[in-house]
Amino acid sequence: MNLKEALWSKTTDSNEPPSPSSSSPRDPESEVAAAAATSAVEELVNSLKKQRIYREVTLALRTGLRDARAEFSFLRVRGLRFLLKSLRSIAQSDSSIGLFSQTQSIPELQVVPVLFEHSLKETADEKVGSLDHIFSVEPMKVKSPSTDSEVALALRVLEGCCLLHPESTHLAHQHKAIPVLMNVLSTRGVLEQDACLDALISIMLDSSANQMDFEACNGIEEVAELIRDKEVDENLRLKCGEFLLLLIGHLNGRERSPMATIHEEFQGKSLLILGECEDVTVLDQHSGGG
């Protein structure tokens, strides 16, 4: 989705007031009336422009979410790519970001629940609980499993939603986002793990509930295991180190709050794990440290 400027929003020569040098002197009342008319036209143009952008945003969300709910992975991938492209276009304008935030209060336009109900849904949740479908005339709906590219795209869309709309972190928490993402981090490939680390940062940003879930899932230890594993891709190990350093920096920058104890535990564990890693010097140099 590319938000383009409407043709009627462009100023034309006919809409511009005549210059004083090219017109005869006018009385004050006519000048006030002309100024009021110009102001009214500008308000109308701005209102129409806002309505147009809102329609484009909602249309993009409906189109992407329709495919993201599909039963086949290739359709869900198409929908996720469209959503990701739309989020990148929305991020270019403060007004469109505000309109996107408004849409996320409408249940049928919320993006995060669709991600966890379809692309990020764990396979264990799809086990057949009964055999009633065998004796029924109704055909059983078969849903194709999520591919690697689908999971990676869903994580990128999740990251974008949380960055553009901070309240999406609460929706992610309601869908147990941290346990789901930690499962992705420990079982999926490099493509998904790389996107997962970025998504973890976005959903834990200023979200104490998700930070508590990360602590409960022993998230720091899981990330440390990837750093220690020599068979893991070197770039991924480096990104895991950056993740821990960024986590420490974020917690250091927060004011003391009722969550201070958990933050201090995060910091202590992260520093201890980084100290145990052989690559800590390389990680520190790469992040700009001494």
Side-chain angles (χ1 to χ4, degrees), residues 256-287:
R256 192 169 183 85
S257 65
M259 298 296 297
T261 302
I262 295 178
H263 295 161
E264 290 172 358
E265 292 178 359
F266 269 20
Q267 179 181 354
K269 287 184 178 180
S270 299
L271 289 172
L272 179 61
I273 290 171
L274 287 174
E276 294 174 352
C277 295
E278 297 178 1
D279 298 331
V280 65
T281 302
V282 177
L283 292 173
D284 191 44
Q285 291 175 354
H286 186 274
S287 63

Side-chain angles (χ1 to χ4, degrees), residues 221-238:
E221 288 80 359
E222 292 289 338
V223 175
E225 285 298 322
L226 293 176
I227 298 178
R228 296 190 184 103
D229 191 349
K230 300 296 184 180
E231 297 183 359
V232 173
D233 181 77
E234 182 179 354
N235 292 329
L236 180 63
R237 294 174 64 201
L238 182 62

Side-chain angles (χ1 to χ4, degrees), residues 67 70-80 143-150:
D67 287 340
E71 298 178 1
F72 300 101
S73 181
F74 76 94
L75 290 176
R76 296 196 298 269
V77 167
R78 185 176 68 180
L80 292 171
K143 185 176 182 179
S144 60
S146 300
T147 60
D148 295 346
S149 59
E150 179 184 347

Side-chain angles (χ1 to χ4, degrees), residues 30-141:
S30 61
E31 292 180 356
V32 171
T38 302
S39 177
V41 170
E42 290 178 352
E43 290 180 1
L44 177 61
V45 169
N46 291 334
S47 176
L48 292 173
K49 181 179 180 180
K50 185 176 181 180
Q51 293 178 19
R52 176 182 62 85
I53 295 176
Y54 184 80
R55 288 195 299 269
E56 290 183 358
V57 170
T58 54
L59 178 61
L61 291 176
R62 293 184 189 278
T63 302
L65 291 174
R66 179 192 60 203
D67 287 340
R69 296 187 181 100
E71 298 178 1
F72 300 101
S73 181
F74 76 94
L75 290 176
R76 296 196 298 269
V77 167
R78 185 176 68 180
L80 292 171
R81 285 175 177 167
F82 189 82
L83 286 173
L84 187 58
K85 182 180 179 180
S86 300
L87 290 176
R88 289 171 176 169
S89 179
I90 290 171
Q92 298 176 4
S93 169
D94 291 339
S95 60
S96 58
I97 292 176
L99 293 175
F100 171 75
S101 298
Q102 293 179 19
T103 63
Q104 293 311 286
S105 62
I106 305 174
E108 58 267 24
L109 295 179
Q110 291 177 342
V111 178
V112 172
V114 174
L115 299 178
F116 286 99
E117 292 169 2
H118 297 274
S119 297
L120 298 177
K121 187 175 182 180
E122 299 181 19
T123 54
D125 296 338
E126 299 180 359
K127 291 182 179 179
V128 179
S130 67
L131 300 178
D132 294 341
H133 65 281
I134 296 179
F135 308 100
S136 173
V137 295
E138 294 292 335
M140 181 181 178
K141 291 185 177 180

